[in-house]
Amino acid sequence: MKQEASGLWTRRLTLAGFSLFVMACAGLIQLNSTLIGIAATLPPTPDVATLPVSAAVSDRNGQLLRPFTTADGRWRLPVERSGVDPRFLDMLIAYEDRNFVSHDGIAWSSMARAAGQFVGAGGRVVSGGSTLTMQVARLIEGQPTRNLWGKLRQMVHAHRLENELSKDQIIDLYLTLAPYGGNIEGVRAASLAYFGKEPARLTTAEAALLVALPQSPEARRPDRDPLAAQRSRDMVLDRLVAMGALPAEEAMAAKHEPVPTVRREFPMLAAHMAQQAVKAQPEARQVELTIDKRLQEALERLAAGRARILDPKVSVAIVAADIQTGEVLASVGSAGLFATQSAGFVDMTTAIRSPGSTLKPLIYGLAFELGLAHPQSLIEDRPTAFGAYVPVNFDGFSRGTVSIHDALTESLNIPAVVVLDAVGPARLVSRLRRAHADPRLPVNTAPSLAVGLGGVGITLRDLVSVYAAIGNGGKPITLQDGIKPQANLTLAAPVLDPVAAWYVSDILADVPPPLNGSPGRIAYKTGTSYGYRDAWAIGFDGKTVIGVWVGRPDGAPVPGLSGIVGAAPILFEAFDRLGNRKAPLPRAPDGVIFASNTELPSPLRRFRHPDEDLVARVSAPEIAFPGDGVDVDLGLSAGSISPLMVKVRNGVPPFTYFANGAPIGRPEFARQSSWKPDGPGYVTLSVVDASGRGDTVTVFLN
C-alpha cells in the first residue's frame, strides 16, 4: 500500500511539475509576444544630429548670439558632451546611474529594489529604478512611466537604444532632452536660463542643481521655489559625498553658494542679422556669423545709450567690417529690438535713406582719377546755377576760392556739385555699383547732379561697402556676414585707382573730429540729409570700417540733428571699442604727388570743367543784392551815411564793382563790397568778373 501511495504522489508531483513547466513556458511565450508587440510600437531611434532643436546663431568664435525656440515653443539648444563641464557629467552618472558604462540599458538590481518597494507599498511606485538609458527612452516617448506597463515599455525601449546607439550618443540625447522646468529642455538651455552662461564651466553647486532638476523639474524650479531647488541640490551633494564621489569639504562649500531665484533672458545679440540668417537657412541647427560677440555687445550698448540721450523716437544703427575681407564684425540694426517708440524691430542697416554728403569723397576721387584735380587744386565756392538746379552750402555761405582739400574737409556743397558735373552723375552711380552698393533712383529717371548731395536712396551697409573700397586702395569689398556664401570678387573692377583712393583717405583724415575725438586717427566723413532726417558718419582706419546712422525710422525730421553732432561722436566711440583691431591708415602708393598749389603742374593748379563753355553759359555773375528796381532805405533822407552792401553770386573772381560807371575800390575776390553814396536818389550798380562777364541793376536809395 505504501509503495502504491508513493507511486501515486510521484505521478501527481510529476504531473504538477509538468503543468508548472507548461504554464511557465506559456507565460514566457506570452511575455515574449508582449515584448515583441511593445518593440513594434516604439518610435524610431532619434539621431541627436537631426533631433529638432532650437536654431542657435553664434559668432565667429562659436559664442552664442541668439537662440530661437523650436516650432512648439521650447528652448532646446543643440549640445554635445564635449561642450559640457566634465564635473557635471561625472556627478550625473554617479548620482543617476553609476553602472551606466557597464549595463545594457537595465540595472536589474535597481529594478529588483524598486519591485520590492512596489510590493511593500501596496502597489504604489516608490522608486523607478530607471537607468539613464531608460530615462532617455521616457524622454523620447514623452509618456509617464509611473506604472508597471509603462516601466516594462521603458525597459524594452532602453534595451533597443543600447543596441542601436553608443553610450556617448545616449548621454548626448539626455543632455539635449532632459526637462528643467517650463519650456526649458537640455542642459545648455538650463545653464543659460539659470546661470547666464554656457555649461562648459560650472561650479560644483551649479552642476549639482542641474543634476537634481530633471527628477522633478516643475516642483524644483529655482525661479518658482528656490528653497525646494536648494534642498534638492543639497540632497545630490550629500548623496555624492556618501558614495565617495565628492569630497565633503567641496560639498559643504557648494551648499553656501546661493541658488538662482530668477530665470535669465537668453542672449539676443545681432538680433536682426540672426533673424535673417535663420530665415535664409531654416533647416540649420547652428548658424555661424562673422560677428565678433565682444564688439557686437559693446556697440549695442553704445547705440542704446546714445539714443536715450538724443530722443526716445530716435534710433541708431552701426555696421563695422574688416576692410580687407569684408567680414561684418558688428551689425546693430536699431537702438533696441523692443524699443517701441523708435521702432526697434526695423533693421536700419538695410533701410534705404538719403545719404546727404557722404558721397562727396567718391565724387572727388573720380576727379583725381580722371586727372581733373589734385587735393591742392583751387576751386570756386560760389553760388552757381545748373539750369533750374541751384545748390547752396549747408550753412548758406560761400567761401570763395578754396582748395579741393578744404572743400571736402568742410563739406562744401557747391564745389562738390561743380566737380560732379564734370565727372558725370552716371559715372558716380556706376562706381557705387562697383563698390557693391545698390543706389536707388526715382523710377524712370537718369542720375542727376542731385545725387551728389543725397538725391538717391542708399543703405548703411552700402555706404560701409563704399568706404571699405576707398580704405582698401580702391578695390571693392563685398560685405560677408555668414548668411549667404559670396562670390569670388578677385577680378572685380576697381572703384577708384589706388592714388585717387589714397588722396581721398588723406583728406578725410584731416576732417575736424567731434569733441570726443582726436584728429588723424581715422579717415571719416559725415552727412546730413534734407530736413534733418538722417545723420551719418562713416570712417575707417587701416583695418576696420565703421558706419553710423542716426534718425527716426519713420523718416520724420529731427530738428538740429546733423552728422557731426549726432553720428560722429558715436563713430569715434565705436572705434574706441575696437580693442587690438586698431591700425594706422595705409601709406601712400607710388604715383602720389606731394606738392603745394604753386608747385603743381599748371593744369592742376585750378579745377577746370571739361566743358568751359557750358560753365560760362550757366555761371555768369549776377548781383544778388540789391535787386533791380528796388528801394533801399539807408536813412540818407535823415542825414545818415550808411554804406550800401553789394553781393554777387556766380561768376569767376576777382570782381570789379561799379557805381554809376565809376569803380568801387580795387578788384577783389570777395563776393560782396560796400559803397557809401553821397545822398539819396537813383544809382546804377554793376559788377564784372575775371572773364569779362557782368551784371547791372538800378536801385533807388533813400
Side-chain angles (χ1 to χ4, degrees), residues 58-132:
S58 60
D59 80 338
R60 62 197 299 114
N61 300 312
Q63 296 188 61
L64 186 66
L65 293 172
R66 182 184 181 185
F68 293 80
T69 59
T70 60
D72 58 355
R74 299 178 184 276
W75 294 105
R76 184 194 296 149
L77 299 178
V79 63
E80 297 178 356
R81 59 186 298 153
S82 58
V84 178
D85 194 325
R87 179 202 313 263
F88 167 77
L89 295 172
D90 293 342
M91 293 171 67
L92 173 68
I93 293 174
Y95 183 80
E96 289 285 355
D97 190 358
R98 62 191 310 174
N99 295 318
F100 173 72
V101 176
S102 58
H103 66 60
D104 61 355
I106 305 168
W108 293 105
S109 59
S110 298
M111 292 303 299
R113 183 197 70 243
Q117 292 173 339
F118 175 80
V119 173
R124 181 173 56 85
V125 175
V126 177
S127 65
S130 296
T131 62
L132 282 173

Side-chain angles (χ1 to χ4, degrees), residues 1-15:
M1 293 293 292
K2 290 182 179 180
Q3 289 181 348
E4 290 179 1
S6 176
L8 179 60
W9 278 106
T10 300
R11 288 194 298 273
R12 288 178 177 177
L13 289 173
T14 301
L15 181 60

Side-chain angles (χ1 to χ4, degrees), residues 273 276-281 287-290 461 478-487:
M273 184 181 285
Q276 295 170 23
V278 171
K279 186 176 180 180
Q281 305 176 50
V287 180
E288 186 171 299
L289 301 180
T290 59
R461 282 176 64 102
T478 290
L479 298 187
Q480 313 268 352
D481 49 27
I483 296 177
K484 296 179 182 178
Q486 302 293 341

Side-chain angles (χ1 to χ4, degrees), residues 488-506:
N488 189 342
L489 304 173
T490 305
L491 301 179
V495 177
L496 290 174
D497 70 38
V499 171
W502 187 86
Y503 280 148
V504 171
S505 301
D506 189 54

